[in-house]
Amino acid sequence: MAVSAAAAPAAEPLPRSIFKKFLVMLCSLLMSLYVFYCLADRCQTLPGPIIAAGSASEEDEGGGGEFLGGSAELPPWQAAAARRKRLLQRLKQRRRRQEAAPGAEVPAGGGGSRAGGSGGGGGSAGTAGTLALLLGEGSKRLPQAIIIGVKKGGTRALLEFLRVHPDVRAVGAEPHFFDRNYERGLAWYRDLMPRTLEGQITMEKTPSYFVTKEAPARISSMSKGTKLIVVVRDPVTRAISDYTQTLSKKPDIPTFESLTFKNRTTGLIDTSWSAIQIGIYAKHLENWLLYFPIGQILFVSGERMISDPAGELGRVQDFLGLKRIITDKHFYFNKTKGFPCLKKAEGSSKPHCLGKTKGRTHPDIDQEVVQRLRDFYRPFNMKFYQMTGQDFGWD
């Protein structure tokens, strides 16, 4: 047995070429793991080469940092992180310069543009802010301003116009949190909001809030400083528009005239019909004034939104503490639809008008019924003018 063991051949050492291949494969595997780790946004926690502290200038859009001891290109995963950091630095630098620059503030009556930007859409700061948001920066905040009403007053148009402003971020759909979904809680509500950067305003619009009895107390409980916007319209025209919308969904509903009166002979108006009740603005406003001062509510004219959209948007921007970036250069009048449209919508270079559901042709209504409605609304309108300090010219 000893002889046969001695005669057995010795094990050959692992060939050098196979060993090298093994090392290459191992290094490739480790490198792949490193790349995926960085893509998960965790590479800043790993040790890496030292990068020069000086950040690139604003003009150096594609420049990277330098390794101490000589120039070199960053690996892709570190270059992405560096670009992201530079983007935020440039955004902060621009904001500081805008605040410090002489003449940066635009008077309340002015129609000027943002310092460093243009009247056409917010300039480079708006672009940088959008890119930063796309990169996942910013945070979700509860809204600082809410369009609370009224239905068929022009709230959708106002929101679409405001979203052109680079410092406004808004929810597209109506959350209905303070009237239908309040039990879901503020965390659920906040999660619906878009991400915003410092200095930007988070907004939402739900027109039914204005006529919801519980909404003022609930919004005040969230934040007493919330700014409120109400878009109002001639209550008679608004009621007909409301009916027209319902008619498009339910063609078999009774006529407008039959729904308007409890008794056509006596001329008694049926105030329980929502289309009529919403237009009693003074009654609903009284509920809001129990929780918010009148100066914290802006009343926008639906009629002037059509005849002078830039003027009304100027008032809204002033109310929100924004610089007047949205001007008459942003609008054109669409004769077919009968209302103004945007020359360029948010995030697009194409003209944008509201959809087919807006600007429907109203049915012919008996003029006697229209006159009786005007007589009914007149005292409520007068009280509303007195409460708001504005004459909307509906009479």
Side-chain angles (χ1 to χ4, degrees):
M1 293 295 293
V3 173
S4 61
E12 295 184 3
L14 190 67
R16 188 179 296 269
S17 60
I18 296 177
F19 181 73
K20 285 183 178 180
K21 288 181 181 180
F22 173 78
L23 285 179
V24 170
M25 290 175 63
L26 180 61
C27 291
S28 298
L29 177 61
L30 292 174
M31 185 62 70
S32 298
L33 290 173
Y34 184 77
V35 170
F36 283 114
Y37 196 77
C38 289
L39 288 175
D41 202 21
R42 297 180 178 273
C43 55
Q44 293 180 359
T45 64
L46 295 177
I50 301 173
I51 302 174
S55 61
S57 65
E58 287 189 31
E59 291 75 18
D60 186 17
E61 295 293 334
E66 290 186 347
F67 293 97
L68 290 180
S71 299
E73 288 190 6
L74 292 174
W77 54 89
Q78 289 188 335
R83 284 195 300 272
R84 180 170 166 177
K85 183 176 180 180
R86 289 198 306 275
L87 182 59
L88 293 176
Q89 288 175 339
R90 287 197 296 273
L91 181 62
K92 291 178 181 178
Q93 289 169 358
R94 287 193 182 104
R95 289 193 182 281
R96 282 197 293 268
R97 284 202 302 274
Q98 288 163 11
E99 293 171 358
E105 293 294 329
V106 180
S113 61
R114 188 192 203 111
S118 67
S124 57
T127 303
T130 302
L131 288 173
L133 290 168
L134 290 174
L135 286 171
E137 299 301 333
S139 57
K140 294 188 175 187
R141 299 181 176 90
L142 292 170
Q144 298 100 313
I146 304 176
I147 300 174
I148 59 172
V150 300
K151 181 183 179 184
K152 306 309 295 181
T155 58
R156 172 55 60 184
L158 177 60
L159 186 69
E160 292 299 310
F161 294 164
L162 275 175
R163 290 173 76 172
V164 173
H165 200 293
D167 286 338
V168 172
R169 291 288 178 269
V171 183
E174 296 172 4
H176 283 281
F177 175 66
F178 295 104
D179 56 353
R180 301 178 190 171
N181 296 301
Y182 194 63
E183 72 284 352
R184 293 176 179 263
L186 285 174
W188 176 87
Y189 184 48
R190 182 191 288 110
D191 194 53
L192 297 178
M193 299 300 133
R195 291 185 178 275
T196 53
L197 300 172
E198 185 179 352
Q200 291 181 324
I201 291 178
T202 303
M203 292 187 67
E204 70 115 318
K205 76 108 178 169
T206 304
S208 54
Y209 290 164
F210 188 63
V211 297
T212 300
K213 187 176 181 181
E214 298 82 9
R218 290 172 174 177
I219 294 177
S220 177
S221 177
M222 176 188 73
S223 172
K224 294 183 182 297
T226 306
K227 293 185 176 182
L228 308 172
I229 300 175
V230 185
V231 187
V232 289
R233 184 183 183 187
D234 181 336
V236 177
T237 309
R238 197 221 66 80
I240 297 173
S241 180
D242 198 337
Y243 173 80
T244 304
Q245 183 184 53
T246 305
L247 184 65
S248 68
K249 300 174 182 177
K250 302 177 181 178
D252 57 343
I253 62 171
T255 64
F256 180 86
E257 290 83 355
S258 63
L259 291 170
T260 298
F261 299 102
K262 284 185 177 180
N263 187 313
R264 179 73 183 268
T265 304
T266 61
L268 184 64
I269 303 294
D270 187 357
T271 57
S272 65
W273 185 29
S274 63
I276 299 295
Q277 191 203 49
I278 291 173
I280 310 175
Y281 302 139
K283 174 186 173 183
H284 303 301
L285 180 57
E286 286 177 343
N287 189 31
W288 287 90
L289 294 181
L290 296 175
Y291 298 90
F292 294 93
I294 192 70
Q296 209 166 308
I297 309 174
L298 179 70
F299 300 91
V300 176
S301 166
E303 286 80 16
R304 286 196 293 269
M305 280 274 290
I306 296 174
S307 62
D308 181 21
E312 284 301 279
L313 264 293
R315 293 179 59 240
V316 177
Q317 289 172 95
D318 293 344
F319 175 72
L320 295 175
L322 301 170
K323 293 178 181 177
R324 286 197 175 192
I325 289 176
I326 306 172
T327 67
D328 54 3
K329 295 179 181 179
H330 287 82
F331 302 99
Y332 74 94
F333 190 82
N334 187 309
K335 294 182 179 180
T336 303
K337 287 184 171 290
F339 51 75
C341 301
L342 288 168
K343 291 181 180 178
K344 293 181 181 180
E346 178 199 22
S348 172
S349 60
K350 298 179 180 179
H352 172 67
C353 282
L354 298 180
K356 295 179 181 179
T357 60
K358 307 298 179 182
R360 295 186 183 94
T361 302
H362 291 178
D364 291 330
I365 306 297
D366 187 332
Q367 286 304 303
E368 181 188 352
V369 174
V370 172
Q371 188 56 51
R372 287 197 181 187
L373 272 177
R374 293 205 177 281
D375 294 340
F376 166 77
Y377 278 121
R378 186 170 292 110
F380 296 109
N381 290 345
M382 293 299 147
K383 184 176 181 181
F384 185 65
Y385 296 170
Q386 187 178 29
M387 294 171 77
T388 62
Q390 298 180 52
D391 185 339
F392 290 91
W394 299 324
D395 302 289

